Every structure is written in C-alpha cells, then in structure tokens.
Amino acid sequence: RKEVEQDPGPFNVPEGATVAFNCTYSNSASQSFFWYRQDCRKEPKLLMSVYSSGNEDGRFTAQLNRASQYISLLIRDSKLSDSATYLCVVNNYGQNFVFGPGTRLSVLP
Amino acid sequence: ETGVTQSPTHLIKTRGQQVTLRCSSQSGHNTVSWYQQALGQGPQFIFQYYREEENGRGNFPPRFSGLQFPNYSSELNVNALELDDSALYLCASSLLAAPKANNEQFFGPGTRLTVL
C-alpha cells in the first residue's frame, strides 16, 4: 500500500461546480500536511497547509481527520484556471515530504 | 516566483553517462531537497541537505549522490544513467530551524532529463 493515496481522477467538471478531492495516508506519526498544485510541465506550488481545525482560503477549504488519517480539499465555484493536478503531501517529523500521485482536474467552459 | 532556480532546464544523455544538475535555493533558506518525478506520478524524494550535510535519503541507489555548498546551493549527480532515470528532477528549498524540523518547501522549475 502506498504511503499517500489520492482519488485516481481525472475529474472533469463545469465552471462553477464544487469539487472535492480525497487523500489518505498510512503513517499515523505524520505531522504536517499540505496541498500543492501542479500545472502541466511546471513545478508544484504550495496551495495551502492543512490544519487539524480545518482551514479556508477563499474558494478553497482543507480538512484533516487525524483519527481516520484522511485529508480533503474542497474547491467551490470552480474556475477554468483551477485546471491542474492537485498533490496531497504528508510530512513526518524529521522526514521528507511524501507526495501522493496527484488528482488531475479539468474545469470545462 | 519562489526564487529557486535550477539548471539546465532540459538535458539529453545516453545510457551509462553521468549527469550533474544544479539548484540555487531561495535567499535565506538553508535546506535543499531533491525529488524525481516520472510522467504521471507524484514527486519521489531522493535526499535532503541541511547545512551541507545529508539529512535524509529516499529509496534511491548510491549512484544518486549530492552536495550542498556553503551558500546552500546544491548539486545532484547521477552516475551510470539508466533509461528509467528519464524524469523531471525537482529541487525544493526550505528554512529549517533544526535537522528534524518541518517547514514548507518551495520548488524550482525542474530539470527535464531524457536518457536515450
């Protein structure tokens, strides 16, 4: 089993739709969690950190459930510019970043 | 832009050759991590350098080696290249307060390596 797993995708949604991505991780000692966004043939860019209390940044909401070892990302009112691959990232104390395989999103006009 | 730069942007090599990739970290950062990203997959951790010392290594063979310099820039060296080494190589910089600390990582644009 991979350490970080994500919805396989791709997700094709119309503009204005709400879309949710799911991620699970296997290491219960994981300490910090992030969502990165990666555009085609570009580097990953930090979208947001994920906190236990949940956090929101504009149209984006991230949730963490430590008991279930589950992370989610919700995008409301999708824009064409949201089309990208979304990478779930888990960081264990003193260890490296572990990336999930990514979920590709295409927002259609 | 993150301020992390990598060179070269693209590289073509043949099997058995050696390659050196370079990364300049963001100003004020002391840590560089290297990742390999094959097509359609998430980045895989190769190793990390903190204050010029290796600070963790992923599941990569010894022919993948690295260095970090006093200015915190870094090199990734790969010997005896194999076809499966074809990938996007990403460097990420961060500021760690200690070797076991965590912090956000900021990625450079990557070097796309093709091995023929």
Side-chain angles (χ1 to χ4, degrees):
Chain A
R1 182 188 171 193
K2 291 187 178 178
E3 190 167 347
V4 179
E5 299 196 64
Q6 296 185 238
D7 292 327
F11 284 31
N12 298 313
V13 302
E15 269 188 292
T18 295
V19 60
F21 299 127
N22 300 311
C23 171
T24 57
Y25 60 96
S26 61
N27 189 339
S28 59
S30 298
Q31 294 290 319
S32 51
F33 310 89
F34 306 91
W35 283 101
Y36 276 74
R37 169 201 167 120
Q38 187 171 27
D39 292 294
C40 189
R41 304 184 75 81
K42 298 282 191 180
E43 73 274 22
K45 292 187 178 177
L46 178 66
L47 181 65
M48 57 198 305
S49 302
V50 187
Y51 304 114
S52 297
S53 55
N55 47 302
E56 188 173 307
D57 182 2
R59 298 181 293 110
F60 298 85
T61 301
Q63 298 277 353
L64 167 64
N65 185 322
R66 284 187 184 270
S68 303
Q69 296 178 203
Y70 167 85
I71 307 160
S72 66
L73 176 68
L74 185 76
I75 305 176
R76 291 180 299 277
D77 188 23
S78 300
K79 311 290 185 191
L80 295 177
S81 57
D82 294 333
S83 297
T85 295
Y86 289 83
L87 296 160
C88 174
V89 185
V90 170
N91 193 190
N92 308 323
Y93 185 66
Q95 302 298 318
N96 54 284
F97 272 26
V98 181
F99 283 80
T103 302
R104 189 156 58 89
L105 171 67
S106 292
V107 180
L108 308 173
Chain B
E1 298 298 327
T2 63
V4 181
T5 60
Q6 291 187 243
S7 63
T9 53
H10 296 84
L11 202 52
I12 299 175
K13 291 284 190 178
T14 56
R15 269 187 309 177
Q17 285 190 306
Q18 178 266 343
V19 69
T20 297
L21 310 181
R22 295 179 175 83
C23 170
S24 291
S25 58
Q26 185 170 315
S27 178
H29 284 186
N30 57 12
T31 303
V32 171
S33 303
W34 286 93
Y35 295 84
Q36 179 195 68
Q37 187 174 24
L39 201 60
Q41 298 182 25
Q44 299 293 309
F45 175 70
I46 303 175
F47 43 58
Q48 182 183 82
Y49 279 85
Y50 168 76
R51 293 185 178 273
E52 303 180 60
E53 298 283 336
E54 189 177 286
N55 185 41
R57 188 179 180 93
N59 190 26
F60 280 80
R63 58 190 186 84
F64 285 78
S65 63
L67 282 174
Q68 188 178 32
F69 300 99
N71 66 355
Y72 302 127
S73 66
S74 177
E75 285 183 356
L76 164 65
N77 299 291
V78 187
N79 293 323
L81 283 167
E82 301 177 0
L83 297 179
D84 284 350
D85 295 335
S86 294
L88 179 67
Y89 287 84
L90 293 159
C91 145
S93 92
S94 54
L95 176 60
L96 297 189
K100 298 293 187 184
N102 292 324
N103 210 345
E104 298 167 353
Q105 296 189 4
F106 298 90
F107 285 82
T111 293
R112 191 164 297 280
L113 173 65
T114 302
V115 182
L116 302 175

